[in-house]
Amino acid sequence: MLIVMRQDASQKQIDEVIRAVESKECKARPIPGGDRVSIAVLFNKGALDEAWFQDLPGVKQAIAVTRPYKLVSRETKPDGTRIQVGNVTIGNGRMVIIAGPCAVESETRAMVIAESVKKAGGDMFRGGAFKPRTSPYSFQGLGEEGLKILAKVRETFDMPVVTEVMDLACFDMVEDYADIIQIGTRNMQNFSLLRRAGVAKKPIFLKRGMSATIDEWLMAAEYIMAEGNPEVILCERGVRTFVRHSRNTLDLSAVPVVQRESHLPIMVDPSHAAGFRDQVMPLARAAAAANAHGIMIEVHNEPEKATSDGAQSLYPKQFEILCRQIRAIENILKDNSE
Ligand code: PEP
Ligand code: MN
């Protein structure tokens, strides 16, 4: 925090501000300027409240300069976090491709899609067993039966599986089956769920809330880390804007901003951002070019029959082409790495 004194502040007022800072167990360092003194507040252990200093005599403004998040911050840990999931490493420079249907619909369907994901070069399989649907009348997922199918996919194709946890009631069950536990956009600020995720033994895939700022998103990750789970993967999945041509607007600037602010890996889900199949491949390529740590793509062999999100699911053939394109972009980035 920086406390800017008024031009006419007396030495006595400056000394009083210094004492107030020291009473919060921080160090106060006065910085004399051309026409006024500013006081830098250093070594604070947690977030400081501007209001503590704002109204002291002689103070013009108290400005928060450190970030509210600590554990997720790159200031705390300059090296990028790597997360090992089975034989896949997230955050080691190779883009991780996660793909599969929106929902696990049946064993046969999941197996057919998983085979095409594996063949195309996908690294992990995704599929919801518990679906957060806008309408209570829409397909809600197969529940534990869906998780068992995911376990079968993992065994058969040697691919880690990612699936969403919707609430505390199903957390233990999802944790038993999943290799990575997804927290969806609608639950990004479900703080009791985040705390439970913080004591989970599996990595957490934390999607950005559809109206969340990057600070709010990072603070959600901070909740998980504060409980002791250091393995959090962030996923940008589009935010709500005024546009009608896509379901959400993919905020690709989140990738460099998160990479500057945090050591956690960041992936991109162009499927839920777009909502329409024809936008998914261009957005996925753009995410790769932005140097995301990975992408999550919805794939379905018969999207017209899908129980959810068929309109945004790629056909297996399209996914195969996309995988090749992603690897090509990755190679270009390697050649020109800064
Ligand atoms: C999903 O990945 O299936 C999903 C529901 O995503 P989101 O939470 O981003 O809408
Ligand atoms: Mn979906």
Side-chain angles (χ1 to χ4, degrees):
M1 179 168 299
L2 192 69
I3 302 170
V4 182
M5 301 301 292
R6 289 162 55 107
Q7 267 177 314
D8 59 0
S10 65
Q11 188 57 47
K12 189 163 168 271
Q13 289 172 332
I14 293 171
D15 291 342
E16 261 159 32
V17 171
I18 292 173
R19 263 197 298 281
V21 170
E22 288 171 349
S23 76
K24 300 287 179 197
E25 297 189 347
C26 299
K27 263 206 156 17
R29 186 162 304 153
I31 310 167
D35 57 357
R36 68 179 79 237
V37 171
S38 295
I39 299 167
V41 182
L42 306 173
F43 300 109
N44 49 305
K45 294 196 178 69
L48 293 171
D49 190 346
E50 289 98 318
W52 291 337
F53 311 108
Q54 188 65 65
D55 294 333
L56 294 176
V59 171
K60 180 169 187 283
Q61 202 183 356
I63 308 165
V65 287
T66 51
R67 301 287 188 259
Y69 38 84
K70 296 281 171 207
L71 299 171
V72 305
S73 169
R74 216 177 251 288
E75 279 178 14
T76 312
K77 181 174 178 286
D79 296 336
T81 288
R82 287 179 182 206
I83 298 174
Q84 191 67 37
V85 187
N87 49 11
V88 182
T89 313
I90 302 167
N92 69 350
R94 184 182 171 278
M95 266 166 232
V96 172
I97 303 176
I98 304 173
C102 181
V104 179
E105 296 169 359
S106 71
E107 183 175 326
T108 320
R109 175 81 80 200
M111 288 297 179
V112 169
I113 300 173
E115 187 174 13
S116 64
V117 167
K118 179 81 182 183
K119 260 199 189 141
D123 299 296
M124 297 193 199
F125 186 74
R126 64 145 287 149
F130 295 92
K131 293 304 303 174
R133 304 305 302 280
T134 302
S135 163
Y137 309 117
S138 303
F139 176 63
Q140 304 285 310
L142 295 179
E144 187 165 15
E145 189 194 335
L147 295 174
K148 286 186 176 152
I149 294 171
L150 287 172
K152 220 164 187 173
V153 165
R154 172 179 43 227
E155 263 174 50
T156 311
F157 298 102
D158 193 24
M159 278 191 292
V161 295
V162 185
T163 196
E164 178 165 354
V165 67
M166 243 178 37
D167 51 34
L168 288 174
C170 67
F171 207 113
D172 289 357
M173 196 196 283
V174 172
E175 189 178 3
D176 278 348
Y177 289 95
D179 295 298
I180 296 183
I181 302 167
Q182 176 171 320
I183 293 186
T185 192
R186 294 160 187 81
N187 266 321
M188 190 209 81
Q189 281 189 319
N190 180 337
F191 298 112
S192 39
L193 199 65
L194 296 175
R195 284 191 199 283
R196 173 63 183 83
V199 294
K201 301 282 177 288
K202 303 275 173 72
I204 307 297
F205 194 84
L206 180 65
K207 288 197 156 189
R208 179 179 180 183
M210 61 184 86
S211 302
T213 64
I214 290 191
D215 274 7
E216 288 163 343
W217 186 19
L218 292 177
M219 288 307 280
E222 186 85 9
Y223 262 88
I224 300 170
M225 290 195 70
E227 293 296 323
N229 188 348
E231 301 201 314
V232 181
I233 302 141
L234 300 164
C235 179
E236 160 63 36
R237 48 79 69 202
V239 290
R240 281 256 165 115
T241 67
F242 55 88
V243 307
R244 298 278 176 91
H245 60 265
S246 58
R247 187 172 168 184
N248 292 285
T249 298
L250 184 64
D251 178 14
L252 267 187
S253 60
V255 174
V257 172
V258 165
Q259 286 174 346
R260 185 190 66 210
E261 292 297 318
S262 175
H263 53 84
L264 295 174
I266 171 156
M267 296 207 187
V268 172
D269 169 353
S271 304
H272 289 88
F276 300 102
R277 186 174 307 120
D278 62 337
Q279 298 174 18
V280 174
M281 290 175 71
L283 292 179
R285 291 191 296 262
N291 212 8
H293 294 101
I295 53 170
M296 174 179 261
I297 305 283
E298 284 187 341
V299 177
H300 201 287
N301 62 328
E302 287 182 298
E304 50 296 330
K305 292 191 187 155
T307 52
S308 56
D309 289 349
Q312 67 196 30
S313 300
L314 293 188
Y315 289 99
K317 186 72 204 155
Q318 290 177 303
F319 177 66
E320 189 192 314
I321 295 167
L322 180 64
C323 284
R324 277 203 300 276
Q325 293 175 335
I326 297 290
R327 296 296 166 218
I329 293 168
E330 191 172 59
N331 283 334
I332 293 172
L333 293 181
K334 261 186 221 143
D335 284 350
N336 297 298
S337 53
E338 289 170 36

